[in-house]
Amino acid sequence: MAALSSSTYISKSSINDFSFTNNKHSKTFFFLNKKLHSRPRNLSLNNALSVNQQLFSLQQETRDSDNGTLVPDSESVISSIKYHAEFTPSFSPEKFELPKAFYATAESVRDKLIVNWNATYAYHEEMNVKQAYYLSMEFLQGRALLNAIGNLELSGAYAEALTKLGHDLEDVAKQEPDAALGNGGLGRLASCFLDSLATLNYPAWGYGLRYKYGLFKQLITKDGQEEVAESWLEMGNPWEIPRNDVSYPIKFYGEVVNGPDGRKEWVGGENITAVAYDVPIPGYKTKTTINLRLWSTKVAPEYFDLNAFNSGDHPKAYEALKRAEKICYILYPGDESHEGKTLRLKQQYTLCSASLQDIIARFERRSGEALDWNKFPEKVAVQMNDTHPTLCIPELLRILIDYKGLSWKEAWEITQKTVAYTNHTVLPEALEKWSLNLLQQLLPRHVELIEMIDKELIDTIIAEYGIKDLELVKEKLKQMRVLDNVELPASVLEVLVQPEETPIVDLVKEEESTEEGSEEVTEATSEDDELKVKEPKEVKIIPKVTFETDPNQPKMVRMANLCVVGGHAVNGVAEIHSEIVKNEVFNDFYKLWPEKFQNKTNGVTPRRWISFCNPELSKIITKWTGTEDWVLNTEKLDELRNFADNEDLQSEWRKAKRINKEKMVSFLKEKTGYLVSPDAMFDVQVKRIHEYKRQLLNILGIVYRYKKMKEMSAEERKENFVPRVCVFGGKAFATYVQAKRIVKFITDVGATVNHDPDIGDLLKVVFVPDYNVTVAEVLIPGSDLSQHISTAGMEASGTSNMKFAMNGCIQIGTLDGANVEIRQEVGEENFFLFGAEAHEIAGLRKERSKGKFVPDPRFEEVKEYVRSGVFGPYNYNELMGSLEGNEGYGRADYFLVGKDFPAYIECQDEVDKAYRDQKKWTKMSILNTAGSHKFSSDRTIHQYARDIWTIEPLVLP
């Protein structure tokens, strides 16, 4: 047999959407010749060609009797790793150190994923099933190696193989950087969903952008947070498969003209290309491997100005190249400037346009000669994860009308049946609005289509409410229109705007005619006759209702409104959030289309968030439930309730927690330099830094605790306070000044408290820099108490609260987001509740604006303590000032820190009391894990599939 070249095997670009028909090479490649052995730290393969010559003959040797399924052992895994160390190297050949071991191991695992990916894609193609497409600006994946081999059930084989090669699997896994494709809960939710979609065998893909530098890498210095670019792609990404043959044109600017056939044509402008990079997503204990397709941007070589380069004008030469590339440089570039806004909008449109072109191409290919656009919604479901992919709506319309020849009515009906929207926030800054002028410049054809959508909505509103009550119509249009502060179409104004009516005044002589039916006439008969004006019995004034715009305000496009209008389903992500969406955020739309609105409480994958990140606890759960089925069926966790008082279980539970806390101690020492005691309560708040999440409330509570400690003797401190390690983590957006002040404040408090010899181990404050999924996988299993203390009604759901509950961590929080449902499931007595409720917030803010709020003396005390300079020379007047006053931007304590402060510190006293009784605390911990059974992303995905996408699982044969 002729030798099979290594490039035949590993050419990433050759494995594209159409390479699924011949998987023999990939299958065999995973289990290479077991005879290949060499020293663990020097993997030079002298017989490399003989490896390729033997590949086909090895097929039968590596199969078992179960329908040809490949069963790897450690020796075949060793051969595969060695092969990649030699033939797909990212490092020089002399040594086999940890970084090289990681890349070779990851590439070895990727081979198995490609085999499964190709098989999955081929089956979906063959069956021509309806497929869901999840579009998100973020996918916060975390490290992939342990997750992939865990899902493939190869952990044992890889651990043994790497041991024989001189390395530990965990040490190898630590070499992997987190993929810098997200920031917070939005992106982690998307990744949990992909894991569940694959595990449950649903036909689905994810679509996102391939950010070169991520959001940023967070450094903590004496000045607080500093940002530097992420370097996650510096050594390459072993999981991604470039699809150089899968690319689509993207256009910006230009103009819209009428083509020769009467169709609209978008011509001129700036042209770039979006290129696909695929990341395989394996399911757990299933062959199904779905795809995350990421887009990178570039321009064709002809856009490089060679003449300018040779003449020395180098910036001009690569100007087009840089414009294209920078679209995928940074997640959420700062949008304070016009250039920043433009770049963000380019990002969003690139995601939407490339993804939809790809989806449509797949639909056409699978349809073949039976192409019927009316069946598009029967084969395609597009889910917009928040408002970032809103441009999917006009983009789908554009393609269907301008390129596929459909009428407006046909395209609009197809679009509405295809697209659905998940709302993640009630915060104004997240309910995106874009400048109409910017959109007109950047996407002129889309503005025309958005205007048509807006007109369609206006007609619907008028048809629903009529024109009798113009004030009502005016209010509905003000709240519901997609275009904000934009003139109504002329045809609509003709219907709505009526001439102004003037008062009717009767002028009569003093002596009125009493004859029935006679006309009243006033006429001066002589100079002596006075014209008498009769007092009107009724003055009838009809005010004019105007529909004028405000010339002092910008014209905007409301993306959330466009999502609601353009899709067939809108869902919130927790019960309380979905009620706020219906009753407040989109109440007018809910009244018009109640059938559109749903709730889909978020969930997290139990594979990553218990099974893989907390093996000690996982063993205990398996032992006491009598099965490993809980990893797929979290309802089994509920059985732990039956043993919550069992002393043996409690003892094992505490030992597992202790092991995780000791791991956390080592991690904190490595990352921050602070050495903390595992005997203390580990109190953790890790999430994006934002005023509504109220890290400020937490740190002010800690400052109050510290102040009270300082006022006591050593004996009194030990008697009154449980030792605590208070851990923070999260990124403040680079231009969010107030959030960065909070980070600075936390680190300053830590620097003072942690070096105070009077306090010692009774209180430590640690800020963990660069919080990400990998950090979470250490902190969450080791936590005793977690804080979810957002201002009620402002957190859509939260997913970290679910992860903490799954790991037996008890929570302190407000009735906000998924806290409400978690508290119901774990039991009210196992959740520390405080604070104002969502329905009270508006009234409390109104009370504040009227100057009626009286702050608690303890709150005033703690602010003065901060201002005293005890935490260093930094001026905290601006930060403390934001909690004062009755009105004004950045003041008046909009997030009600002062209002909830006394309830918060009193609730923390209850936490101390409960923690002293370790038997009670352990029972609470067990019941938190048991009560988290409803918060698996598997359950959430089943609901999306049933209620929104109408897709069915498809198990590979």
Side-chain angles (χ1 to χ4, degrees):
M1 181 179 292
L4 186 66
S5 72
S6 59
S7 62
T8 304
Y9 262 69
I10 63 174
S11 175
K12 297 175 182 178
S13 61
S14 69
I15 305 170
N16 56 47
D17 280 3
F18 311 102
S19 63
F20 45 76
T21 55
N22 186 356
N23 296 323
K24 292 181 180 179
H25 295 345
S26 296
K27 291 178 180 178
T28 307
F29 173 43
F30 188 75
F31 307 107
L32 297 173
N33 195 328
K34 297 180 181 180
K35 296 179 182 180
L36 291 174
H37 295 289
S38 57
R39 289 174 294 177
R41 303 268 176 180
N42 190 353
L43 293 184
S44 177
L45 301 183
N46 297 322
N47 296 322
L49 290 178
S50 68
V51 174
N52 287 324
Q53 291 170 340
Q54 297 177 61
L55 289 176
F56 287 121
S57 64
L58 284 172
Q59 280 187 305
Q60 298 306 316
E61 298 176 20
T62 55
R63 296 180 184 276
D64 68 5
S65 60
D66 182 18
N67 198 27
T69 302
L70 298 171
V71 181
D73 58 19
S74 63
E75 294 301 318
S76 57
V77 169
I78 287 172
S79 297
S80 177
I81 293 173
K82 286 182 175 181
Y83 181 86
H84 281 289
E86 181 75 10
F87 286 100
T88 53
S90 299
F91 299 85
S92 56
E94 290 84 6
K95 296 179 181 180
F96 188 65
E97 301 295 349
L98 281 171
K100 185 173 184 176
F102 161 67
Y103 277 85
T105 302
E107 286 155 351
S108 160
V109 175
R110 189 194 62 204
D111 293 337
K112 176 65 173 173
L113 299 184
I114 289 174
V115 171
N116 288 350
W117 188 93
N118 284 341
T120 303
Y121 188 90
Y123 194 49
H124 292 170
E125 190 91 352
E126 177 188 348
M127 299 302 292
N128 192 18
V129 294
K130 183 174 185 180
Q131 189 160 327
Y133 298 99
Y134 197 80
L135 272 64
S136 177
M137 288 295 286
E138 297 186 44
F139 287 92
L140 199 60
Q141 293 177 286
R143 291 172 174 165
L145 180 59
L146 292 181
N147 187 73
I149 64 175
N151 278 2
L152 293 169
E153 299 181 273
L154 296 176
S155 299
Y158 271 88
E160 185 178 345
L162 286 168
T163 298
K164 291 178 180 179
L165 291 172
H167 291 302
D168 179 77
L169 174 58
E170 286 194 9
D171 291 337
V172 170
K174 287 178 182 177
Q175 302 304 305
E176 180 177 3
D178 276 36
L181 299 172
N183 176 36
L186 183 82
R188 185 53 233 171
L189 176 77
S191 292
C192 281
F193 277 8
L194 292 187
D195 175 272
S196 288
L197 284 163
T199 297
L200 300 173
N201 300 296
Y202 281 111
W205 277 22
Y207 280 104
L209 295 181
R210 182 178 178 265
Y211 303 108
K212 185 174 182 179
Y213 300 116
L215 183 71
F216 57 80
K217 184 178 180 66
Q218 182 192 50
L219 305 178
I220 299 298
T221 70
K222 62 180 179 62
D223 297 317
Q225 171 182 297
E226 293 186 10
E227 306 90 22
V228 297
E230 282 271 15
S231 58
W232 75 288
L233 285 175
E234 187 176 6
M235 299 300 294
N237 178 9
W239 303 108
E240 69 183 14
I241 307 161
R243 309 295 198 189
N244 294 317
D245 59 334
V246 180
S247 62
Y248 298 98
I250 310 292
K251 182 186 290 293
F252 304 111
Y253 303 108
E255 61 179 343
V256 181
V257 299
N258 289 318
D261 57 357
R263 292 185 188 176
K264 296 280 189 177
E265 287 188 22
W266 184 11
V267 298
E270 177 184 317
N271 297 289
I272 67 166
T273 301
V275 182
Y277 285 73
D278 286 350
V279 180
I281 307 294
Y284 177 70
K285 290 189 176 183
T286 176
K287 293 180 184 178
T288 298
T289 299
I290 64 172
N291 191 37
L292 169 59
R293 177 157 284 181
L294 303 171
W295 300 107
S296 187
T297 45
K298 67 176 187 178
V299 292
E302 56 264 29
Y303 285 95
F304 179 76
D305 191 337
L306 190 59
N307 291 330
F309 189 85
N310 287 332
S311 66
D313 192 351
H314 297 162
K316 181 183 178 184
Y318 50 73
E319 182 180 354
L321 177 67
K322 290 301 180 185
R323 274 202 311 266
E325 287 183 344
K326 73 179 181 180
I327 291 172
C328 292
Y329 274 174
I330 299 292
L331 168 65
Y332 303 141
D335 59 357
E336 300 297 315
S337 64
H338 175 78
E339 291 75 15
K341 289 181 174 67
T342 302
L343 186 55
R344 275 213 193 187
L345 196 54
K346 281 186 172 183
Q347 285 185 334
Q348 294 185 4
Y349 179 61
T350 298
L351 169 64
C352 295
S353 181
S355 302
L356 279 172
Q357 290 183 69
D358 195 44
I359 291 165
I360 288 171
R362 191 170 302 109
F363 169 74
E364 291 179 311
R365 185 171 64 249
R366 291 181 180 180
S367 298
E369 295 181 359
L371 179 64
D372 180 354
W373 286 106
N374 290 319
K375 293 184 178 179
F376 189 76
E378 298 175 19
K379 297 296 182 181
V380 172
V382 174
Q383 189 71 36
M384 301 183 296
N385 192 28
D386 216 349
T387 53
H388 308 124
T390 305
L391 289 169
C392 279
I393 295 167
E395 177 66 1
L396 181 54
L397 286 168
R398 183 184 75 89
I399 295 172
L400 293 177
I401 295 171
D402 295 358
Y403 289 94
K404 307 304 175 183
L406 274 66
S407 68
W408 160 261
K409 183 179 179 181
E410 291 171 322
W412 180 233
E413 185 176 344
I414 289 168
T415 299
Q416 286 187 303
K417 289 180 179 179
T418 301
V419 176
Y421 163 51
T422 298
N423 173 273
H424 282 280
T425 184
V426 299
L427 295 180
E429 63 264 31
L431 291 175
E432 285 187 304
K433 290 183 179 182
W434 284 104
S435 161
L436 179 61
N437 289 335
L438 174 59
L439 269 168
Q440 284 175 325
Q441 293 169 15
L442 197 68
L443 304 170
R445 177 59 176 142
H446 295 76
V447 168
E448 290 184 349
L449 293 164
I450 290 170
E451 288 172 344
M452 294 175 73
I453 294 170
D454 188 57
K455 173 62 165 58
E456 190 85 15
L457 175 61
I458 292 168
D459 290 344
T460 301
I461 292 170
I462 292 174
E464 177 70 18
Y465 296 102
I467 60 172
K468 187 174 182 180
D469 187 345
L470 289 183
E471 284 292 350
L472 174 64
V473 173
K474 181 178 180 180
E475 184 60 26
K476 293 294 180 183
L477 293 175
K478 179 181 178 182
Q479 297 300 323
M480 298 174 71
R481 284 189 66 188
V482 174
L483 299 177
D484 183 24
N485 199 39
V486 175
E487 297 84 356
L488 286 167
S491 59
V492 175
L493 285 173
E494 288 178 6
V495 174
L496 296 181
V497 177
Q498 300 174 353
E500 184 175 9
E501 295 191 23
T502 56
I504 300 172
V505 181
D506 291 331
L507 302 176
V508 296
K509 287 184 178 180
E510 188 173 8
E511 295 169 354
E512 298 182 6
S513 171
T514 58
E515 184 178 342
E516 186 176 346
S518 66
E519 294 183 3
E520 295 179 352
V521 180
T522 60
E523 187 177 49
T525 58
S526 69
E527 292 182 0
D528 297 328
D529 290 334
E530 292 184 356
L531 188 65
K532 303 296 183 183
V533 179
K534 177 185 176 183
E535 290 293 328
K537 296 179 180 178
E538 180 180 357
V539 177
K540 187 177 181 182
I541 301 176
I542 301 177
K544 181 179 180 181
V545 178
T546 61
F547 294 85
E548 297 175 353
T549 60
D550 185 346
N552 297 316
Q553 296 298 319
K555 298 179 179 181
M556 306 296 286
V557 180
R558 297 189 279 203
M559 306 306 268
N561 289 24
L562 180 54
C563 286
V564 177
V565 177
H568 66 92
V570 180
N571 72 278
V573 289
E575 286 181 1
I576 185 174
H577 171 242
S578 295
E579 290 304 306
I580 292 171
V581 164
K582 290 191 296 186
N583 298 326
E584 297 179 28
V585 183
F586 298 124
N587 182 248
D588 290 301
F589 288 106
Y590 175 64
K591 290 176 179 176
L592 187 61
W593 298 307
E595 70 282 355
K596 280 192 181 188
F597 289 81
Q598 303 181 20
N599 175 61
K600 296 289 175 280
T601 298
N602 284 342
V604 300
T605 167
R607 270 76 63 186
R608 183 179 286 269
W609 293 111
I610 311 182
S611 182
F612 300 153
C613 79
N614 198 342
E616 300 298 330
L617 186 62
S618 298
K619 292 173 189 174
I620 295 171
I621 294 171
T622 298
K623 174 183 174 181
W624 287 85
T625 61
T627 178
E628 289 185 345
D629 290 350
W630 62 268
V631 181
L632 283 169
N633 179 16
T634 52
E635 294 293 331
K636 286 283 184 181
L637 294 175
D638 198 45
E639 295 180 12
L640 292 171
R641 296 183 193 275
N642 301 328
F643 312 106
D645 289 308
N646 187 288
E647 292 185 4
D648 291 337
L649 173 57
Q650 288 201 359
S651 177
E652 293 174 22
W653 201 270
R654 281 192 290 270
K655 287 177 183 176
K657 179 63 74 173
R658 179 74 181 198
I659 291 170
N660 289 322
K661 290 178 76 169
E662 288 173 351
K663 289 180 183 177
M664 189 169 161
V665 168
S666 299
F667 178 82
L668 293 177
K669 181 69 168 67
E670 176 188 349
K671 292 294 182 182
T672 70
Y674 289 127
L675 181 62
V676 301
S677 170
D679 296 323
M681 178 202 298
F682 283 10
D683 173 355
V684 178
Q685 186 180 19
V686 282
K687 51 188 75 215
R688 183 165 50 96
I689 308 296
H690 197 290
E691 287 172 278
Y692 90 85
K693 292 180 183 286
R694 299 203 295 190
Q695 288 90 353
L696 185 55
L697 175 60
N698 185 351
I699 192 62
L700 286 175
I702 293 168
V703 168
Y704 184 80
R705 188 182 187 90
Y706 175 65
K707 183 176 186 295
K708 294 304 161 188
M709 283 182 174
K710 292 292 287 181
E711 293 168 357
M712 296 179 182
S713 65
E715 293 75 17
E716 288 174 325
R717 289 184 202 119
K718 290 181 180 179
E719 181 180 345
N720 285 279
F721 293 102
V722 167
R724 285 208 199 193
V725 176
C726 301
V727 179
F728 293 84
K731 295 179 179 180
F733 190 64
T735 58
Y736 189 175
V737 175
Q738 191 75 328
K740 294 179 79 168
R741 286 185 183 127
I742 293 170
V743 174
K744 168 66 173 167
F745 183 36
I746 293 168
T747 56
D748 280 355
V749 171
T752 299
V753 172
N754 298 344
H755 295 98
D756 190 330
D758 294 338
I759 303 303
D761 286 338
L762 269 180
L763 183 61
K764 298 290 184 185
V765 180
V766 182
F767 192 101
V768 182
D770 209 37
Y771 179 65
N772 56 24
V773 174
T774 296
V775 175
E777 289 171 342
V778 178
L779 299 186
I780 290 174
S783 301
D784 296 302
L785 179 76
S786 64
Q787 305 220 20
H788 307 277
I789 57 177
S790 52
T791 309
M794 302 199 75
E795 184 72 87
S797 173
T799 54
S800 65
N801 46 9
M802 301 171 184
K803 297 162 197 166
F804 280 104
M806 280 185 172
N807 285 271
C809 182
I810 299 157
Q811 303 186 39
I812 180 172
T814 53
L815 279 179
D816 197 26
N819 285 3
V820 177
E821 293 157 83
I822 290 174
R823 182 169 175 263
Q824 290 170 353
E825 294 300 325
V826 306
E828 295 179 5
E829 68 280 9
N830 302 308
F831 185 105
F832 294 103
L833 178 68
F834 76 95
E837 297 184 24
H839 68 272
E840 300 175 292
I841 300 302
L844 291 170
R845 286 178 178 147
K846 196 171 186 179
E847 176 188 75
R848 185 66 182 250
S849 68
K850 292 180 177 179
K852 294 181 179 180
F853 172 69
V854 179
D856 187 280
R858 292 167 291 184
F859 184 58
E860 296 300 287
E861 178 185 352
V862 76
K863 286 191 298 176
E864 287 307 308
Y865 193 59
V866 172
R867 283 177 163 134
S868 71
V870 67
F871 301 114
Y874 186 85
N875 188 337
Y876 282 108
N877 283 334
E878 288 292 334
L879 185 59
M880 294 300 103
S882 71
L883 305 174
E884 298 169 339
N886 296 321
E887 59 184 15
Y889 178 77
R891 297 183 66 82
D893 194 12
Y894 183 78
F895 301 98
L896 304 180
V897 173
K899 174 65 180 178
D900 282 349
F901 183 78
Y904 176 70
I905 60 174
E906 289 163 10
C907 192
Q908 288 285 16
D909 291 338
E910 294 300 313
V911 172
D912 275 10
K913 181 180 177 181
Y915 192 75
R916 288 190 178 96
D917 184 346
Q918 278 294 292
K919 184 175 181 179
K920 176 184 177 181
W921 188 271
T922 305
K923 179 179 179 180
M924 294 171 71
S925 176
I926 294 168
L927 291 172
N928 264 265
T929 298
S932 68
H933 66 279
K934 287 189 177 180
F935 300 105
S936 166
S937 51
D938 294 355
R939 185 171 180 264
T940 312
I941 284 299
H942 276 314
Q943 294 174 346
Y944 272 96
R946 181 192 65 218
D947 301 333
I948 297 179
W949 305 331
T950 60
I951 61 173
E952 298 290 336
L954 189 66
V955 181
L956 271 66

